[in-house]
Structure formats: C-alpha cells, structure tokens
Amino acid sequence: MSRFTSPVGEGLISVDRWTDSSQAYFLTHLHSDHTQGLSAHWSRGPLFCSPITARFLLSKFKGFDASLIRDLEVGSTHTFSLISPLNGGDVEVRVTPIDANHCPGSVMYLFQGELGCVLYTGDFRWELTSERAKLSKSTLLDALNGEKVDILYLDNTYCNPCFSFPSRKDAAQQVVDIIQKHPHHEVVIGIDSLGKEHLLLHISESLKTKIWVWPERLEILDLLGLDEIFTTDTSQTRIRAVPRYSITQNNLESLNTMYPTIAIMPTGLPWSQNSPEKGAYTVRYTAHSSYSELEEFMKIIRPSIVIVMKGSHGFKVRKKEGKGKVLASVRRSRVNIVRKERRGVKIEECDEICTSDFEVQIGSDWSS
C-alpha cells in the first residue's frame, strides 16, 4: 500500500489496515472493505474510532476485546503519545476525527505533530449543500488553523468528470417520486449492511410508512435508535430494503409472478442500468464525492503530496512526464472496481505518491 518515510520512524500508525505491526490503529468506518483482517480475536493494539463505530464494532465482532477500543469525540482534537523507533523518545500526535458524511460513524482523520500534517479521508462525501458537510469543512479548517497538509490520502472513487451526482436530499426525493408513481406495486430497494439510512428515513417520513429490513440490518438500526421506523414483518409495508446483491433481473421477474414489483437501486456505479420498462430504476444516490466535489475539496486543502490508495476502487494516479500535473485515470473494468484490494495504510507507506505543488488534475484520461 502507500509508503512514505516518517521523520520520527516507521511502525507508528495504521489506518484501516489490520495485518501490520503499529503502535496505534485507526478505523474510519465499518464497511467490510475497511475491516479486512479485523476480527473478534484481533489484539494488536489500541483501536481508535468514533463512538458510533465503536458500538457497531462490538456488535459485528462478538467477543471483541472492548478494552482495546478508544472512542474519539468527532470534531474534537485529541492528543496522545507514541514511542519513536529511532530514539525511544515520546512522539506527540494530535488527531482530529471529522465527520466524513459517508455512513453512520464514518470519519476522516487529521493527524498533526512531529510526524507532520497528514489527512486521511477514508470514504467521504464533500457535499457542501449539506449542513453536515459544511460543519465538516469548518471543523477541518479550524483544526488546520492555516497549517499546510503535507500528505493527503484521498478517496477517489468517482474521480472522473463523467461522474456528476445530485445531492443526496434530491436523490432521495427522486426515489420517493418513483414509489408514488407506483401506488399498487411492491417496492424493493437495494442497500448495504450499513449506509443509506438517511435515504430510508426520507422515504419513511415522506410516505408515512414503515420499511421492511432483514433482521441483521435491524440490529444496526437499533444501535442508531431508529428501530421503530423499521420492521421485519412484511405485512406492515409494501416497501422493503433488501441486500443490494439480491436485486437481479431474474429475482425481479420472479417477484412479479407473485405481485407487481419494482426495484430501485440507489448507486453511483456507472454500470447500473435504468430500465423502467422492466421495473428497474437506478437513482444516482451515493455516499462518495463526485468529481466536482473532489475538485472543490482539493482547492481548499492544496496538499503538498496526494496519495491515492491503489486498488481501492479501480483508480490509479500517474504523472505524465514534462507536464507537472497529477493525472488520476479510471480503470473502467467492473471487476477491478468490485474486487477491491487490501485497504488502508501505515503512515509511513504508500503505493503511489504524487507531488502537487502544481495543479492536481483529477479524473483525466491519459495513457503512457
């Protein structure tokens, strides 16, 4: 994964990476591609995360040693000490978790101190029409207090000009509009095991109805205090939130042999097809930043070095000789996007480093 040499030595901090030896481990959120290597028996060291993620973690990994968890108040700066491998002295680190607006409990981490100024976005949505994102921006700028970001680890999932998304509020209303146009249909909505809770809440509040979810999903919603809005009783509602992978054309056709059914897939993924004539609808609802949002983010942060985690979502960064620009190109293979490689970083490691004293040009196609 990503590598750079820390001025205070290696092996200090790992983020979303659980198989290497470090003194402190940080979890951005509980999506499975960020917890590879983490289990109920994991015991390498202190694990820092948001309070919400801490609750999810103990629920998902039954028997996890709770004494290892250090929950950090989001939006506040916390100070802790590590030991320098170079001289055995104390290394003071300040860390500020910042709401990533991705899924419940998700955070970015701003590290400051003797190891430099490092911002790790994890998965994030820089949707500045959202009050939450505006607060995140304010928190980040206040924490930086004019300091320059030395190294930025960037979520570049939709880092190409072809990706443009409405706000999640507008996309959620599009879902409601589709449901209202089919008053006599059953509705299935594809979601993951964590995330899109605000979409489901908007549907429930707009249509004055409960929403069916599978039992394990209800446990997550219970931890968020939302269980009264949801049910596992199919007789109480015509709207069901189901695992995303279960929505296929064959399954939809089978459901329509029993009762009229439409399927709605809220996603930003480019291969999803909108086929109303077949009862399948795609709505561009995503918890990752669009190209224009990433541009806005980069204009604000202006880091010295940008690191894009190789294999994270099928993108990579290349530097074109003689041009002085960082070029992030899309690998359009669905397999490369879906089969995500190992995630996370050690603070002294990276896959591809791009100096950005010049313009960071996100998403341009370029071939060597």
Coordinates of all heavy atoms in Angstrom, one line a residue, residues 169-242:
K169 N -30.2 14.6 -0.8 CA -31.6 15.0 -0.5 C -32.4 15.0 -1.7 O -33.5 14.4 -1.8 CB -31.6 16.4 0.1 CG -33.0 16.9 0.5 CD -32.9 18.3 1.1 CE -34.3 18.8 1.4 NZ -34.2 20.2 2.0
D170 N -31.9 15.5 -2.9 CA -32.6 15.5 -4.1 C -32.8 14.1 -4.7 O -33.8 13.7 -5.2 CB -31.9 16.3 -5.2 CG -32.0 17.8 -4.9 OD1 -32.9 18.2 -4.0 OD2 -31.2 18.6 -5.4
A171 N -31.7 13.2 -4.5 CA -31.8 11.9 -5.0 C -32.8 11.1 -4.2 O -33.6 10.2 -4.7 CB -30.4 11.2 -4.9
A172 N -32.9 11.3 -2.9 CA -33.9 10.7 -2.0 C -35.3 11.0 -2.5 O -36.2 10.2 -2.5 CB -33.7 11.0 -0.6
Q173 N -35.5 12.3 -2.8 CA -36.8 12.7 -3.3 C -37.2 12.0 -4.6 O -38.3 11.7 -4.9 CB -36.9 14.2 -3.4 CG -38.3 14.7 -3.8 CD -39.4 14.3 -2.8 OE1 -39.1 14.3 -1.6 NE2 -40.5 13.8 -3.3
Q174 N -36.2 11.8 -5.5 CA -36.4 11.0 -6.7 C -36.9 9.6 -6.4 O -37.8 9.1 -7.1 CB -35.1 11.0 -7.5 CG -34.7 12.3 -8.1 CD -33.3 12.2 -8.8 OE1 -32.9 11.1 -9.2 NE2 -32.6 13.3 -8.9
V175 N -36.3 9.0 -5.4 CA -36.8 7.7 -5.0 C -38.3 7.7 -4.6 O -39.1 6.9 -4.9 CB -35.9 7.1 -3.9 CG1 -36.5 5.8 -3.4 CG2 -34.5 6.9 -4.4
V176 N -38.6 8.7 -3.7 CA -40.0 8.9 -3.3 C -40.9 9.1 -4.5 O -42.0 8.5 -4.5 CB -40.1 10.1 -2.3 CG1 -41.6 10.4 -2.0 CG2 -39.4 9.7 -1.0
D177 N -40.5 9.9 -5.4 CA -41.4 10.1 -6.6 C -41.6 8.9 -7.4 O -42.8 8.6 -7.8 CB -40.7 11.2 -7.5 CG -40.6 12.6 -6.9 OD1 -41.3 12.8 -5.9 OD2 -39.8 13.4 -7.4
I178 N -40.6 8.0 -7.5 CA -40.8 6.7 -8.2 C -41.8 5.9 -7.5 O -42.7 5.3 -8.1 CB -39.4 6.0 -8.4 CG1 -38.5 6.8 -9.3 CG2 -39.7 4.6 -8.9 CD1 -37.1 6.3 -9.3
I179 N -41.7 5.8 -6.2 CA -42.6 4.9 -5.4 C -44.0 5.5 -5.5 O -45.0 4.7 -5.7 CB -42.1 4.9 -3.9 CG1 -40.8 4.2 -3.8 CG2 -43.2 4.2 -3.0 CD1 -40.2 4.3 -2.4
Q180 N -44.2 6.8 -5.4 CA -45.5 7.4 -5.5 C -46.2 7.1 -6.9 O -47.4 7.1 -7.0 CB -45.5 8.9 -5.2 CG -45.2 9.2 -3.8 CD -45.1 10.7 -3.5 OE1 -44.6 11.4 -4.3 NE2 -45.7 11.1 -2.3
K181 N -45.4 7.0 -7.9 CA -45.9 6.7 -9.2 C -46.4 5.2 -9.4 O -46.9 4.9 -10.4 CB -44.9 7.1 -10.3 CG -44.7 8.6 -10.5 CD -43.6 8.9 -11.5 CE -43.3 10.4 -11.6 NZ -42.3 10.7 -12.5
H182 N -46.1 4.4 -8.4 CA -46.4 3.0 -8.4 C -47.2 2.6 -7.2 O -46.7 1.8 -6.3 CB -45.2 2.1 -8.6 CG -44.4 2.4 -9.9 ND1 -43.5 3.4 -10.0 CD2 -44.4 1.7 -11.1 CE1 -43.0 3.4 -11.3 NE2 -43.6 2.4 -11.9
P183 N -48.4 3.2 -7.0 CA -49.1 3.0 -5.7 C -49.5 1.6 -5.4 O -49.9 1.2 -4.3 CB -50.3 4.0 -5.8 CG -50.5 4.1 -7.3 CD -49.1 4.1 -7.9
H184 N -49.6 0.8 -6.5 CA -50.1 -0.6 -6.3 C -49.0 -1.6 -6.5 O -49.3 -2.8 -6.6 CB -51.2 -0.9 -7.3 CG -52.3 0.1 -7.3 ND1 -53.1 0.3 -6.2 CD2 -52.8 1.1 -8.2 CE1 -54.0 1.3 -6.4 NE2 -53.8 1.7 -7.6
H185 N -47.8 -1.2 -6.4 CA -46.6 -2.1 -6.5 C -45.9 -2.3 -5.2 O -45.9 -1.4 -4.4 CB -45.6 -1.5 -7.5 CG -46.0 -1.7 -9.0 ND1 -47.0 -1.0 -9.5 CD2 -45.4 -2.4 -10.0 CE1 -47.1 -1.3 -10.8 NE2 -46.1 -2.2 -11.1
E186 N -45.4 -3.5 -5.1 CA -44.4 -3.7 -4.0 C -43.1 -3.1 -4.5 O -42.8 -3.0 -5.7 CB -44.2 -5.2 -3.8 CG -45.4 -6.0 -3.4 CD -45.8 -5.7 -1.9 OE1 -44.9 -5.7 -1.1 OE2 -47.0 -5.4 -1.7
V187 N -42.3 -2.6 -3.5 CA -41.0 -1.9 -3.8 C -39.9 -2.6 -3.1 O -39.9 -2.8 -1.9 CB -41.1 -0.4 -3.4 CG1 -39.8 0.3 -3.8 CG2 -42.3 0.2 -4.1
V188 N -38.8 -2.9 -3.8 CA -37.6 -3.4 -3.2 C -36.5 -2.4 -3.5 O -36.3 -1.9 -4.6 CB -37.2 -4.8 -3.7 CG1 -38.2 -5.8 -3.1 CG2 -37.1 -4.9 -5.2
I189 N -35.7 -2.0 -2.5 CA -34.6 -1.0 -2.6 C -33.3 -1.7 -2.2 O -33.2 -2.2 -1.1 CB -34.9 0.2 -1.7 CG1 -36.3 0.8 -2.1 CG2 -33.8 1.2 -1.8 CD1 -36.7 1.9 -1.1
G190 N -32.3 -1.6 -3.0 CA -31.0 -2.3 -2.7 C -30.1 -1.4 -1.9 O -29.8 -0.3 -2.2
I191 N -29.7 -2.0 -0.7 CA -28.8 -1.2 0.2 C -27.7 -2.2 0.7 O -27.8 -3.4 0.5 CB -29.6 -0.6 1.4 CG1 -30.2 -1.7 2.3 CG2 -30.6 0.4 0.9 CD1 -30.7 -1.2 3.6
D192 N -26.8 -1.6 1.4 CA -25.7 -2.4 2.0 C -26.1 -2.7 3.5 O -27.1 -2.2 4.0 CB -24.4 -1.7 1.9 CG -23.9 -1.6 0.5 OD1 -23.9 -2.7 -0.2 OD2 -23.5 -0.5 0.0
S193 N -25.2 -3.3 4.2 CA -25.4 -3.6 5.6 C -25.3 -2.4 6.5 O -25.7 -2.4 7.7 CB -24.5 -4.7 6.1 OG -23.1 -4.4 5.9
L194 N -24.6 -1.3 6.0 CA -24.5 -0.1 6.7 C -24.5 1.0 5.6 O -23.8 1.0 4.6 CB -23.2 -0.1 7.5 CG -22.9 1.2 8.3 CD1 -23.9 1.4 9.3 CD2 -21.5 1.1 8.9
G195 N -25.3 2.1 5.9 CA -25.3 3.2 5.0 C -26.7 3.4 4.4 O -27.5 2.5 4.4
K196 N -26.9 4.6 3.8 CA -28.2 5.0 3.2 C -29.4 5.1 4.2 O -30.5 5.0 3.8 CB -28.6 4.1 2.0 CG -27.5 4.1 0.9 CD -28.0 3.3 -0.3 CE -27.0 3.6 -1.5 NZ -25.7 3.0 -1.2
E197 N -29.0 5.2 5.5 CA -30.1 5.4 6.5 C -30.9 6.6 6.3 O -32.1 6.6 6.4 CB -29.5 5.4 7.9 CG -29.0 4.1 8.4 CD -27.7 3.6 7.8 OE1 -27.0 4.4 7.2 OE2 -27.3 2.5 8.1
H198 N -30.2 7.7 5.8 CA -31.0 9.0 5.6 C -31.9 8.8 4.4 O -33.0 9.4 4.4 CB -30.0 10.1 5.3 CG -29.3 10.6 6.6 ND1 -30.0 11.3 7.6 CD2 -28.0 10.5 7.0 CE1 -29.1 11.6 8.6 NE2 -27.9 11.1 8.3
L199 N -31.6 8.0 3.4 CA -32.5 7.8 2.3 C -33.7 7.1 2.8 O -34.9 7.4 2.5 CB -31.8 6.9 1.3 CG -32.7 6.3 0.2 CD1 -33.4 7.4 -0.6 CD2 -31.9 5.4 -0.7
L200 N -33.6 6.0 3.6 CA -34.7 5.3 4.1 C -35.6 6.1 5.1 O -36.8 6.0 5.0 CB -34.2 4.0 4.9 CG -33.4 3.0 4.0 CD1 -32.9 1.9 4.9 CD2 -34.1 2.5 2.8
L201 N -34.9 7.0 5.9 CA -35.7 7.9 6.7 C -36.5 8.8 5.9 O -37.7 9.1 6.3 CB -34.7 8.6 7.7 CG -34.1 7.8 8.8 CD1 -33.1 8.7 9.5 CD2 -35.2 7.4 9.8
H202 N -35.9 9.4 4.8 CA -36.7 10.3 4.0 C -37.9 9.6 3.4 O -39.0 10.2 3.3 CB -35.8 10.8 2.9 CG -36.4 11.8 2.0 ND1 -36.6 13.2 2.4 CD2 -37.0 11.7 0.8 CE1 -37.2 13.8 1.4 NE2 -37.5 13.0 0.4
I203 N -37.7 8.4 2.9 CA -38.8 7.6 2.3 C -39.9 7.4 3.4 O -41.1 7.6 3.1 CB -38.3 6.3 1.8 CG1 -37.4 6.5 0.6 CG2 -39.5 5.4 1.4 CD1 -36.6 5.2 0.2
S204 N -39.5 7.0 4.6 CA -40.5 6.7 5.6 C -41.3 7.9 6.0 O -42.5 7.9 6.2 CB -39.7 6.1 6.9 OG -40.6 5.9 7.9
E205 N -40.5 9.1 6.2 CA -41.2 10.3 6.6 C -42.1 10.8 5.5 O -43.2 11.3 5.8 CB -40.2 11.3 7.0 CG -39.4 11.0 8.3 CD -38.2 11.9 8.5 OE1 -37.9 12.7 7.7 OE2 -37.5 11.7 9.5
S206 N -41.7 10.8 4.3 CA -42.4 11.3 3.2 C -43.7 10.5 2.9 O -44.8 11.1 2.6 CB -41.6 11.4 1.9 OG -40.5 12.2 2.1
L207 N -43.6 9.2 3.0 CA -44.8 8.3 2.7 C -45.5 7.8 3.9 O -46.5 7.1 3.8 CB -44.3 7.1 1.9 CG -43.6 7.5 0.5 CD1 -43.1 6.3 -0.2 CD2 -44.5 8.3 -0.3
K208 N -45.1 8.3 5.1 CA -45.7 7.9 6.4 C -45.9 6.4 6.5 O -47.0 5.8 6.7 CB -47.1 8.6 6.5 CG -47.1 10.1 6.4 CD -46.3 10.7 7.5 CE -46.4 12.2 7.6 NZ -45.6 12.9 6.5
T209 N -44.8 5.7 6.3 CA -44.8 4.2 6.3 C -43.6 3.6 7.0 O -42.5 4.3 7.0 CB -44.9 3.7 4.9 OG1 -45.0 2.2 4.9 CG2 -43.7 4.0 4.0
K210 N -43.7 2.4 7.5 CA -42.5 1.7 7.9 C -41.8 1.1 6.7 O -42.4 1.0 5.6 CB -42.9 0.6 8.9 CG -43.3 1.2 10.3 CD -43.4 0.1 11.3 CE -43.6 0.6 12.7 NZ -43.5 -0.4 13.8
I211 N -40.6 0.7 6.9 CA -39.8 0.0 5.8 C -39.3 -1.3 6.4 O -38.8 -1.4 7.5 CB -38.7 0.9 5.4 CG1 -39.2 2.2 4.8 CG2 -37.8 0.1 4.4 CD1 -38.1 3.1 4.3
W212 N -39.5 -2.4 5.6 CA -39.0 -3.7 6.0 C -37.5 -3.8 5.8 O -37.0 -3.3 4.8 CB -39.7 -4.8 5.1 CG -39.2 -6.2 5.5 CD1 -39.9 -7.0 6.4 CD2 -38.1 -6.9 5.0 NE1 -39.2 -8.2 6.5 CE2 -38.1 -8.2 5.6 CE3 -37.1 -6.6 4.1 CZ2 -37.1 -9.1 5.4 CZ3 -36.1 -7.5 3.9 CH2 -36.1 -8.8 4.5
V213 N -36.8 -4.4 6.7 CA -35.4 -4.7 6.6 C -35.2 -6.1 7.1 O -36.0 -6.6 7.9 CB -34.5 -3.7 7.4 CG1 -34.5 -2.4 6.7 CG2 -34.8 -3.7 8.8
W214 N -34.1 -6.7 6.7 CA -33.7 -8.1 7.3 C -33.3 -8.0 8.7 O -32.8 -6.9 9.2 CB -32.8 -8.8 6.3 CG -31.4 -8.2 6.2 CD1 -30.3 -8.6 6.8 CD2 -31.0 -7.1 5.3 NE1 -29.2 -7.8 6.4 CE2 -29.6 -6.9 5.5 CE3 -31.7 -6.3 4.4 CZ2 -28.9 -5.9 4.8 CZ3 -31.0 -5.3 3.8 CH2 -29.6 -5.1 3.9
P215 N -33.3 -9.0 9.5 CA -33.1 -9.0 10.9 C -31.7 -8.4 11.3 O -31.6 -7.6 12.2 CB -33.2 -10.4 11.4 CG -34.2 -11.0 10.4 CD -33.9 -10.4 9.1
E216 N -30.6 -8.8 10.6 CA -29.3 -8.2 10.9 C -29.2 -6.7 10.7 O -28.6 -6.0 11.4 CB -28.2 -9.0 10.1 CG -28.1 -10.4 10.5 CD -29.1 -11.3 9.8 OE1 -29.9 -10.8 9.0 OE2 -29.2 -12.5 10.2
R217 N -29.9 -6.3 9.7 CA -29.9 -4.8 9.4 C -30.7 -4.1 10.5 O -30.3 -3.0 10.8 CB -30.6 -4.6 8.0 CG -30.4 -3.2 7.5 CD -28.9 -3.0 7.2 NE -28.6 -1.8 6.4 CZ -28.4 -0.6 6.9 NH1 -28.5 -0.3 8.2 NH2 -28.1 0.4 6.0
L218 N -31.7 -4.7 11.0 CA -32.5 -4.1 12.1 C -31.6 -3.9 13.3 O -31.8 -2.9 14.1 CB -33.7 -4.9 12.4 CG -34.7 -4.2 13.4 CD1 -35.3 -3.0 12.8 CD2 -35.8 -5.2 13.8
E219 N -30.7 -4.8 13.6 CA -29.8 -4.6 14.7 C -28.9 -3.3 14.6 O -28.7 -2.6 15.6 CB -28.8 -5.8 14.8 CG -29.5 -7.1 15.2 CD -28.5 -8.2 15.4 OE1 -27.2 -7.9 15.5 OE2 -28.9 -9.4 15.3
I220 N -28.5 -3.0 13.4 CA -27.7 -1.8 13.1 C -28.6 -0.6 13.4 O -28.2 0.4 14.0 CB -27.2 -1.8 11.7 CG1 -26.1 -2.8 11.5 CG2 -26.6 -0.4 11.4 CD1 -24.8 -2.6 12.3
L221 N -29.8 -0.6 12.9 CA -30.7 0.5 13.0 C -31.1 0.7 14.5 O -31.4 1.8 14.9 CB -32.0 0.3 12.2 CG -31.7 0.3 10.7 CD1 -32.8 -0.4 9.9 CD2 -31.4 1.7 10.2
D222 N -31.2 -0.4 15.2 CA -31.5 -0.4 16.6 C -30.4 0.4 17.4 O -30.6 1.2 18.3 CB -31.7 -1.8 17.2 CG -32.1 -1.8 18.7 OD1 -32.7 -0.8 19.1 OD2 -31.8 -2.7 19.4
L223 N -29.1 0.1 17.0 CA -28.0 0.8 17.6 C -28.0 2.3 17.3 O -27.5 3.1 18.1 CB -26.7 0.3 17.1 CG -26.3 -1.2 17.6 CD1 -25.1 -1.7 16.8 CD2 -26.1 -1.2 19.1
L224 N -28.7 2.7 16.3 CA -28.9 4.1 15.9 C -30.1 4.7 16.5 O -30.4 5.9 16.3 CB -28.9 4.3 14.4 CG -27.5 4.0 13.7 CD1 -27.7 3.9 12.2 CD2 -26.5 5.0 14.0
G225 N -30.9 3.9 17.2 CA -32.2 4.4 17.7 C -33.3 4.6 16.7 O -34.2 5.3 16.9
L226 N -33.2 3.8 15.6 CA -34.2 4.0 14.5 C -35.1 2.8 14.3 O -35.8 2.7 13.3 CB -33.4 4.3 13.2 CG -32.5 5.5 13.2 CD1 -31.7 5.6 11.9 CD2 -33.3 6.8 13.4
D227 N -35.0 1.8 15.2 CA -35.7 0.6 15.0 C -37.2 0.7 14.9 O -37.9 -0.1 14.3 CB -35.4 -0.4 16.1 CG -35.6 0.2 17.5 OD1 -35.0 1.2 17.8 OD2 -36.3 -0.4 18.3
E228 N -37.8 1.8 15.5 CA -39.3 1.9 15.5 C -39.8 2.3 14.1 O -41.0 2.1 13.7 CB -39.7 3.0 16.4 CG -39.6 2.6 17.9 CD -40.1 3.7 18.8 OE1 -40.7 4.7 18.3 OE2 -40.0 3.5 20.1
I229 N -38.9 2.8 13.2 CA -39.3 3.2 11.9 C -39.3 2.0 10.9 O -39.9 1.9 9.9 CB -38.4 4.3 11.3 CG1 -38.5 5.5 12.2 CG2 -38.7 4.6 9.9 CD1 -37.5 6.6 11.9
F230 N -38.6 0.9 11.4 CA -38.4 -0.3 10.5 C -39.0 -1.5 11.1 O -39.4 -1.5 12.3 CB -36.9 -0.5 10.3 CG -36.2 0.7 9.6 CD1 -35.7 1.7 10.4 CD2 -36.1 0.7 8.3 CE1 -35.1 2.8 9.8 CE2 -35.5 1.8 7.6 CZ -35.0 2.9 8.4
T231 N -39.2 -2.5 10.3 CA -39.9 -3.7 10.7 C -39.3 -4.9 10.0 O -38.8 -4.8 8.9 CB -41.4 -3.6 10.5 OG1 -42.1 -4.8 10.9 CG2 -41.7 -3.4 9.0
T232 N -39.5 -6.1 10.6 CA -39.2 -7.3 9.9 C -40.4 -8.1 9.5 O -40.4 -9.2 9.1 CB -38.3 -8.2 10.8 OG1 -38.9 -8.5 12.0 CG2 -36.9 -7.6 11.0
D233 N -41.6 -7.4 9.7 CA -42.9 -8.0 9.3 C -43.3 -7.5 8.0 O -43.7 -6.3 7.8 CB -43.9 -7.6 10.4 CG -45.3 -8.2 10.2 OD1 -45.5 -8.9 9.1 OD2 -46.2 -8.0 11.0
T234 N -43.3 -8.3 7.0 CA -43.6 -7.9 5.6 C -45.1 -7.5 5.5 O -45.4 -6.7 4.5 CB -43.4 -9.1 4.6 OG1 -44.1 -10.2 5.0 CG2 -41.9 -9.4 4.6
S235 N -46.0 -7.8 6.4 CA -47.4 -7.4 6.3 C -47.6 -6.0 6.6 O -48.7 -5.4 6.3 CB -48.2 -8.3 7.2 OG -48.0 -8.1 8.5
Q236 N -46.6 -5.3 7.2 CA -46.8 -3.9 7.7 C -46.4 -2.9 6.6 O -46.7 -1.7 6.8 CB -45.9 -3.7 8.9 CG -46.4 -4.4 10.1 CD -45.7 -3.9 11.4 OE1 -45.3 -2.8 11.5 NE2 -45.6 -4.8 12.4
T237 N -45.8 -3.3 5.5 CA -45.4 -2.3 4.5 C -45.2 -3.0 3.1 O -45.0 -4.2 3.0 CB -44.1 -1.7 4.9 OG1 -43.7 -0.7 4.0 CG2 -43.0 -2.7 5.1
R238 N -45.3 -2.1 2.1 CA -45.0 -2.6 0.7 C -43.6 -2.3 0.3 O -43.2 -2.6 -0.8 CB -46.1 -2.1 -0.3 CG -45.9 -0.6 -0.5 CD -47.1 -0.1 -1.4 NE -47.0 1.3 -1.7 CZ -46.5 1.9 -2.8 NH1 -46.0 1.1 -3.8 NH2 -46.5 3.2 -3.0
I239 N -42.9 -1.6 1.2 CA -41.5 -1.2 0.8 C -40.5 -2.0 1.6 O -40.6 -2.0 2.8 CB -41.3 0.3 1.1 CG1 -42.4 1.2 0.3 CG2 -39.9 0.8 0.8 CD1 -42.4 2.6 0.7
R240 N -39.6 -2.6 0.9 CA -38.6 -3.4 1.5 C -37.2 -3.0 1.1 O -36.9 -2.8 -0.1 CB -38.8 -4.9 1.1 CG -39.9 -5.6 1.8 CD -40.1 -7.0 1.3 NE -40.8 -6.9 0.0 CZ -40.8 -7.9 -0.9 NH1 -40.0 -9.0 -0.6 NH2 -41.4 -7.9 -2.0
A241 N -36.3 -2.8 2.1 CA -34.9 -2.5 1.9 C -34.2 -3.9 2.0 O -34.2 -4.5 3.0 CB -34.4 -1.5 2.9
V242 N -33.6 -4.3 0.9 CA -33.0 -5.6 0.8 C -31.5 -5.5 0.4 O -31.1 -4.5 0.0 CB -33.7 -6.5 -0.3 CG1 -35.2 -6.6 0.0 CG2 -33.5 -5.9 -1.7

